Every structure is written in structure tokens, then in C-alpha cells.
Amino acid sequence: MAVPGKVAAFRLPPLPKVGEIIKLFRLKAQKQLSQNFLLDLRLTDKLVRQAGELKNAYVCEVGPGPGGITRSILSAGVEQLLLIEKDIRFIPGLKMLSEAAPGKVRIVHGDILTYNMEKAFPNHLKKNWEDEPPDIHIIGNLPFSVSTPLIIRWLENVSKKDGPFIYGRTQMTLTFQKEVAERLTANPGGKQRSRLSIMSQHLCSVENCFIIPGQAFVPQPEVDVAVVHFTPLVQPKIQQPFKLVEKVVRSVFQFRRKYCFRGIETLFPESGRLKRTEQLMMTANVDPTLRPSQLSMSQFRNLCNTYRKMCDEDPGLFVYNYREELRLKKRAHLLISNSQPEETEEENQF
Ligand SMILES: C[S@@+](CC[C@H](N)C(=O)[O-])C[C@H]1O[C@@H](n2cnc3c(N)ncnc32)[C@H](O)[C@@H]1O
């Protein structure tokens, strides 16, 4: 659990308000880029407190924009702050902040999706995975279209201990659309239990910290926003490669309203499908009539471990792709009958 730290360990010299910076540099939010700014410093302070103690820490803020959260991070007394911002219009305002905190801020005009985080911090900060997390934090309020793919990528980095996790169990405090945060943190049986719940919780302790109502942003988005804190676990709850876990979890949730065996079947080619599904479910000790959302983490672990054994015994199994088989069958069906194929798949949200 994140230990809320103190903010205001360092006093910035008087600066124009964030709203004034927006006016000064004509930083109109670009709706098509989902830019929604958080200008209320009480809220930015509260968000930054969720990261824990930041005094003398090394922080990377992704998508600082006009710099509201940036000010709160600097006020927390950090040692170094790396800012990665894609939109060049924000760089002059960020430079103004950097001048107010000499020697502390490094500004990168770049895209977090391509930035090499393995060189972002000094080597001496590296910790062993089993040790306490390093004094490195990632904080960000990014557009939702970026934050969801980014967290999936960072979860894969956690499982491989690379990217930002080359330094150890780097903690992250990020915002998401409220419903995505609910999926990230959902327990078994919960309405929002989904692929994202298993993929995040098997690798990290995930805490839904607080909700920021949409009205707090300028301009106001149509949804509420939640702040989520991630601390990578010393031992993942499922000790299998990320891609294997992803495949099993995606298959289970393929038909999220049906019994779980319906999705699990899709792990196997049509010939022998029933027999192998039964074998997997029996060995993993999973009741085939549970709904995907009812499965516990240990049941997912059993499924992944058993599926891994089956893949080791049949090297062609892992590359089997149900959707591809379905697509080829549909195409053949169309060629033969020239009729519309039946729709067999359900919506498969992350
Ligand atoms: C929702 S706005 C939030 C701005 C600021 N953090 C705040 O809370 O007021 C998202 C910011 O992320 C930036 N951004 C979007 N995609 C990015 C990417 N791939 N890499 C870095 N920054 C990005 C946008 O330019 C914008 O400044």
C-alpha cells in the first residue's frame, strides 16, 4: 500500500499560476489529443502524496502539460525530476518551472511510448528486486488512450524486470478513467473483474487511491478519473512468461458471460479440443461452470501452470490461434456458400 507522503518539503519561488501559464503561452487544450488539465493544487498535491515519501527521490513525470502536478512533485522536495512531454507547446512553460528549481529538472520533448526508460535514472539507484523499491517513482496524468496501453507495456516490463524496472520495483502513480481503475483493482466475483485485473494484480499490488471528479479538469472530460498506485510484487502470483499468462487470461475472458470452459476451449485446436479442455480444467482443479469473473488468482495460476506443461509437451500448442482458425473457417464458409457467417464472438474488452 502506498504510504501517503508529505508535500511542500521545498518551496518554489513565486511563479505565475498554472492557469496564467496556460494563458501566457496560449496552451489551449487540444480535445482531439484528450488534453484535460488538473489545475487545482490541492488535488495535484493529493495525487502526488499517493506516491509516498518523495523527499530526495528521483521522479519521472509523464505528460506534465502545463505543469500543475509538476509543481506538487517539486514541492515534495525531490532530488531530480525528469519530465517527458510530447507536445512542444508545453516546453517553454516547463522551462520556467525548471528555472525556478535549478539543477533539479530535466525536460525531454518526446513520446513516453518510445522513450528508453532504462537510461532514465543514475545507475547507483538500482536495487535488487527482493529489496525495498528504489527511490524512483513514475507519476502521470496521461490521456486514457495512452495510459491503458502504457500500463500493459509496463506490466510486461515488470514481468521481465526491464524498462523502468531495471532499477528494481519502481513504483507508479497514474491516472485512469474510473472504470479502467475499477477493472485494474477488481476482486473475484466483482462486476469489473476482467483481463486487466489479472494482468495487473498477478504482478503488482494495485491500489485505487481516490477519484477525481471530471469537473476538476479543464476542460471537463465526460468521465471521472481515478488515481491508481502500483508497487511490483517481489514474487509474481503467476510465475509464467507474460505472453503465456496473457494468452490464458484472454482466452478465459473471451466469453465473459458464459461458463469459463467456453473461453478455455479456445486455447486448443478443434481436433481434441474437448478432451484437452477437460484435461486442463481437471488438472488445474477449476470448476468449468464458474464464470470468468469468479475465478480466483490461484485458479488462474493453476490454469497457466497446467497450460505451460501442455505446451512443453506439444511445442505447436502455444502458437495455436483460435481467432485465426475462426477467420479461416469463416472465409472458407463464405467461399462455399457466399452467405454471411454467424457472429460467434463476444465483445472482448481489456
Ligand atoms: C491529460 S493531459 C494532462 C496534463 C497534466 N499532466 C495535468 O494533469 O494537467 C496529458 C498530457 O500528456 C501529454 N502526452 C500525451 N501523450 C503523450 C506521450 N505519448 N508521451 C508524453 N506525453 C504525452 C499531453 O501532451 C498532455 O500534456
Side-chain angles (χ1 to χ4, degrees):
M1 186 169 146
V3 185
K6 287 194 197 106
V7 170
F10 168 85
R11 196 174 282 280
L12 284 165
L15 281 164
K17 291 197 176 126
V18 187
E20 288 164 355
I21 292 222
I22 290 176
K23 280 198 197 123
L24 188 65
F25 294 105
R26 304 215 178 109
L27 301 175
K28 198 167 180 311
Q30 302 220 339
K31 231 179 170 175
Q32 69 275 26
L33 296 180
S34 305
Q35 290 179 340
N36 308 97
F37 306 140
L38 197 49
L39 308 182
D40 180 338
L41 288 185
R42 280 166 310 175
L43 280 173
T44 57
D45 279 354
K46 185 170 176 186
L47 186 155
V48 168
R49 278 200 299 272
Q50 310 309 312
E53 177 60 62
L54 292 187
K55 192 153 172 36
N56 301 326
Y58 286 67
V59 176
C60 169
E61 189 194 355
V62 287
I69 297 172
T70 319
R71 289 177 188 222
S72 294
I73 297 172
L74 286 171
S75 299
V78 298
E79 178 67 25
Q80 285 281 318
L81 175 56
L82 167 65
L83 302 174
I84 302 173
E85 173 54 61
K86 193 176 172 188
D87 186 339
I88 198 156
R89 297 174 309 136
F90 294 113
I91 304 298
L94 294 172
K95 279 194 178 145
M96 191 184 257
L97 273 180
S98 154
E99 281 155 20
K104 286 194 183 290
V105 183
R106 208 158 29 112
I107 302 170
V108 172
H109 171 223
D111 186 333
I112 187 57
L113 294 169
T114 51
Y115 186 75
N116 181 3
M117 290 291 279
E118 296 194 355
K119 298 221 161 78
F121 303 103
N123 271 334
H124 74 264
L125 296 175
K126 283 186 180 166
K127 286 264 178 85
N128 291 324
W129 194 259
E130 300 70 28
D131 293 344
E132 284 298 299
D135 215 358
I136 297 177
H137 299 258
I138 298 174
I139 299 179
N141 171 34
L142 280 166
F144 303 135
S145 57
V146 179
S147 58
T148 306
L150 190 62
I151 192 61
I152 293 161
R153 177 181 302 183
W154 277 345
L155 288 169
E156 183 162 8
N157 290 146
V158 170
S159 85
K160 293 180 176 160
K161 302 181 183 159
D162 62 12
F165 310 98
I166 204 154
Y167 296 92
R169 295 184 297 121
T170 301
Q171 299 178 69
M172 302 172 277
T173 308
L174 304 168
T175 59
F176 295 89
Q177 182 176 333
K178 181 171 153 261
E179 291 71 20
V180 174
E182 285 168 358
R183 276 189 241 147
L184 282 162
T185 52
N187 290 322
K191 215 171 104 212
Q192 299 284 10
R193 184 81 161 174
S194 64
R195 282 159 72 187
L196 210 42
S197 327
I198 312 302
M199 295 314 293
S200 58
Q201 293 171 35
H202 92 273
L203 289 163
C204 292
S205 113
V206 192
E207 190 192 347
N208 193 340
C209 303
F210 73 102
I211 307 289
I212 310 179
Q215 306 90 280
F217 293 86
V218 181
Q220 182 179 338
E222 274 153 26
V223 291
D224 290 335
V225 174
V227 179
V228 182
H229 183 85
F230 300 83
T231 310
L233 296 168
V234 173
Q235 283 283 10
K237 291 186 179 154
I238 303 175
Q239 292 188 28
Q240 294 294 349
F242 188 85
K243 293 284 182 220
L244 184 138
V245 180
E246 200 178 37
K247 186 172 183 193
V248 172
V249 174
R250 182 190 294 122
S251 301
V252 172
F253 281 100
Q254 181 114 236
F255 304 102
R256 51 178 300 119
R257 291 180 209 92
K258 304 219 167 107
Y259 292 144
C260 65
F261 80 87
R262 279 293 289 110
I264 292 173
E265 279 183 331
T266 67
L267 286 167
F268 303 107
E270 200 168 6
S271 75
R273 178 172 285 157
L274 200 65
K275 196 163 148 255
R276 294 173 104 182
T277 306
E278 266 176 26
Q279 184 193 345
L280 172 55
M281 307 222 59
M282 273 179 61
T283 317
N285 198 18
V286 174
D287 175 351
T289 64
L290 288 174
R291 309 279 169 189
S293 63
Q294 293 174 308
L295 265 60
S296 65
M297 188 61 81
S298 62
Q299 287 172 315
F300 275 104
R301 182 179 52 228
N302 291 350
L303 286 171
C304 290
N305 290 345
T306 311
Y307 177 66
R308 168 69 188 265
K309 278 197 196 119
M310 295 171 92
C311 289
D312 287 347
E313 283 160 15
D314 173 359
L317 182 58
F318 186 66
V319 291
Y320 166 69
N321 184 330
Y322 170 77
R323 281 165 181 262
E324 184 62 12
E325 187 180 78
L326 203 68
R327 203 178 59 80
L328 293 175
K329 258 171 68 181
K330 278 182 185 174
R331 197 198 276 167
H333 180 84
L334 268 175
L335 284 174
I336 294 165
S337 66
N338 206 18
S339 65
Q340 285 297 315
E342 268 177 66
E343 194 52 60
T344 51
E345 300 208 21
E346 291 188 3
E347 148 243 18
N348 190 17
Q349 64 173 18
F350 221 115

